[in-house]
Amino acid sequence: MAQRETWATRTGFILAAVGSAVGLGNIWRFPFVTGEGGGAAFLLVYLLFIALVGFPAILMEFVIGRKTERNPVGALLKYGGNAWKYVGGVFIITGFVILSYYSVIAGWFVRYFLEGFRDSYGGHLEAYGEAGAMFGDLTAGLDAFLLHTVFMIATVGIVALGVRRGIELAVKVMVPALIVLLIGLSVWAFTLPDAGAGYEYYLSPDFGVIADEWTDILPAAAGQAFFTLSLGMGVMITYASYLGEDRNLAKDGATIIGFDTGIAFLTGLLVFPVLFSAGVDPADPGPSVIFISMTEAFADVTGGRLLGIVFFGTVAIAALSSAISLLEVVTSYAIDEIGIDRWKAAVGMGGAIYLLGVPATWDIIFIDLLDYFADSILLVLGALLLAILVGWVAPQVAVDELEKGIGDLGGLGQAWIWAIRVPIIIVLIVSLYLGLVEYAEFLSGDFADWLDANL
Ligand code: PHE
């Protein structure tokens, strides 16, 4: 094999990692799980989780990737020994499942983008009567299927050709554009009649709610944190495997988390005032929350049609840079471990992933079926296994690797390892258990009902 590439520019790695992290997790998923989790109560647990678990966890993936210079499966094998390659297998399955429905949702954003060319969002709103009806019509059926197809072809094409350069450039434009847009729209949202109630729901936590509902909130926050940071399935291992030893991993990790969390937080500042002002209960609409609130917003603001086109288009590109990272993990595994060429690997894996996503274009229940399983179970399991590897199996290697590019960490290195060893592992085990219980409830409840009604 040719010599392993490293990132072309110093910022290349950060851009790719931010490009992977920032995506549908921030814009689509964050506001609806926050809405379902009780608003501020969820937000608080989520932010704590990001800081206390997400940050140590991103460092684990960075050190494993940089130390081993391998794809996740090869990396775990080299870092932990033979048995650990099966953990890499969990990662590959996770990437498979996430990308299958991720592409369907990205297709919805493309659809809303295209709708802006047909009519203003206000015009659509009038034609449908309400934003929820528009969502229902646009996101299931033949059109959703076609856009899922188009989005997967684009993802496979980019990964097959190995053209990451263009994506780094796109991220450079897209992330600032998204931030400016979200800030602008949040200022507008501030002027809405019921903005105050929206902020109250989003920002003022009720500790009673946390105490009563922590068994729901914890697994949801864990799943959301790993999903939004692209953690628990080897993306950050892969990206760090191309990294030079001079990088300060802690600083890079903090930068990536800062951008990702900032964008999610801004999205909430926009969404909740809009929902309250439109009289929508934020816990109700689930996966349609962002589409409903944005349709309302773009129907109302001046220049809404153009802003809407820019917003939905930008999110679609943000989704593409995340989708690429998901397929890259699966593809690099097939290239390195099965020994097929890049083109065949991307098309073969991409094709299979595409098929798994097709049912989700037919009924939204399949989004829940795949999403809960991937986030609250697979990603948490992946992170737990990594924590065992770094915390217990090979901790000193990890600390030594982290110190490259930073210098002597002294007690901080040990503090990191001990945080992983006990508290983080316990939190992850509890989250995983609760996630499994909830998923079993979903399967025997909502999903079984759906099967009864439809088959
Ligand atoms: N982090 C991405 C997002 O927020 C999704 C993702 C998850 C990408 C896991 C790669 C791995 O949209």
Side-chain angles (χ1 to χ4, degrees), residues 20-26 98 102 226-231 233 235 260 322 325-326 379:
S20 171
V22 174
L24 300 179
N26 312 63
I98 294 183
Y102 201 87
F226 290 134
F227 185 86
T228 192
L229 295 175
S230 306
L231 288 179
M233 61 148 290
V235 167
D260 190 78
S322 304
S325 71
L326 284 158
L379 291 179

Side-chain angles (χ1 to χ4, degrees), residues 278-328:
V280 177
D281 176 353
D284 256 0
S288 63
V289 154
I290 187 71
F291 294 97
I292 291 182
S293 42
M294 288 299 124
T295 309
E296 300 277 354
F298 295 130
D300 193 59
V301 296
T302 29
R305 185 169 180 178
L306 183 64
L307 286 176
I309 290 173
V310 174
F311 174 80
F312 291 117
T314 309
V315 176
I317 297 170
L320 188 60
S321 63
S322 304
I324 289 163
S325 71
L326 284 158
L327 188 59
E328 184 64 43

Side-chain angles (χ1 to χ4, degrees), residues 1-16:
M1 220 173 77
Q3 201 196 338
R4 228 180 137 77
E5 280 178 80
T6 48
W7 296 99
T9 60
R10 288 189 70 82
T11 49
F13 162 70
I14 294 274
L15 287 176

Side-chain angles (χ1 to χ4, degrees), residues 19-308:
S20 171
V22 174
L24 300 179
N26 312 63
I27 308 283
W28 163 72
R29 203 170 190 285
F30 172 76
F32 94 75
V33 290
T34 304
E36 286 174 349
F42 177 88
L43 180 67
L44 182 65
V45 176
Y46 167 75
L47 290 176
L48 284 172
F49 201 95
I50 292 274
L52 300 176
V53 181
F55 182 61
I58 204 170
L59 296 182
M60 299 191 309
E61 296 207 19
F62 283 170
V63 294
I64 295 174
R66 189 171 69 177
K67 174 82 198 161
T68 58
E69 306 186 320
R70 296 278 157 87
N71 77 78
V73 177
L76 291 176
L77 186 108
K78 190 170 169 193
Y79 193 92
N82 216 2
W84 285 91
K85 72 172 185 241
Y86 300 105
V87 176
V90 176
F91 292 171
I92 307 307
I93 295 170
T94 311
F96 231 85
V97 175
I98 294 183
L99 185 52
S100 72
Y101 68 90
Y102 201 87
S103 164
V104 175
I105 298 153
W108 299 349
F109 278 92
V110 175
R111 183 59 197 269
Y112 270 76
F113 164 77
L114 295 174
E115 286 302 308
F117 293 94
R118 285 209 312 145
D119 194 357
S120 69
Y121 296 92
H124 287 300
L125 197 55
E126 224 162 87
Y128 280 103
E130 45 118 16
M134 176 175 177
F135 176 83
D137 186 48
L138 296 186
T139 54
L142 185 61
D143 295 6
F145 169 73
L146 290 177
L147 289 171
H148 167 52
T149 311
V150 169
F151 189 84
M152 268 317 281
I153 290 175
T155 307
V156 167
I158 293 170
V159 172
L161 295 170
V163 283
R164 207 103 50 62
R165 270 322 108 72
I167 294 300
E168 287 177 26
L169 207 85
V171 172
K172 237 183 222 170
V173 181
M174 169 201 92
V175 169
L178 213 50
I179 293 175
V180 171
L181 221 84
L182 289 172
I183 292 178
L185 288 167
S186 314
V187 171
W188 161 80
F190 179 74
T191 66
L192 291 173
D194 285 325
Y199 296 133
E200 163 95 31
Y201 183 77
Y202 182 43
L203 298 174
S204 154
D206 180 339
F207 293 94
V209 172
I210 301 181
D212 288 347
E213 281 165 35
W214 71 273
T215 56
D216 289 339
I217 293 178
L218 181 66
Q224 174 62 21
F226 290 134
F227 185 86
T228 192
L229 295 175
S230 306
L231 288 179
M233 61 148 290
V235 167
M236 295 300 171
I237 293 181
T238 309
Y239 280 6
S241 74
Y242 303 103
L243 210 55
E245 293 190 342
D246 53 338
R247 295 291 300 194
N248 179 333
L249 296 176
K251 208 165 120 198
D252 288 354
T255 308
I256 294 159
I257 291 180
F259 273 112
D260 190 78
T261 309
I263 289 179
F265 182 73
L266 276 173
T267 306
L269 277 186
L270 164 58
V271 163
F272 291 103
V274 175
L275 290 178
F276 275 84
S277 300
V280 177
D281 176 353
D284 256 0
S288 63
V289 154
I290 187 71
F291 294 97
I292 291 182
S293 42
M294 288 299 124
T295 309
E296 300 277 354
F298 295 130
D300 193 59
V301 296
T302 29
R305 185 169 180 178
L306 183 64
L307 286 176

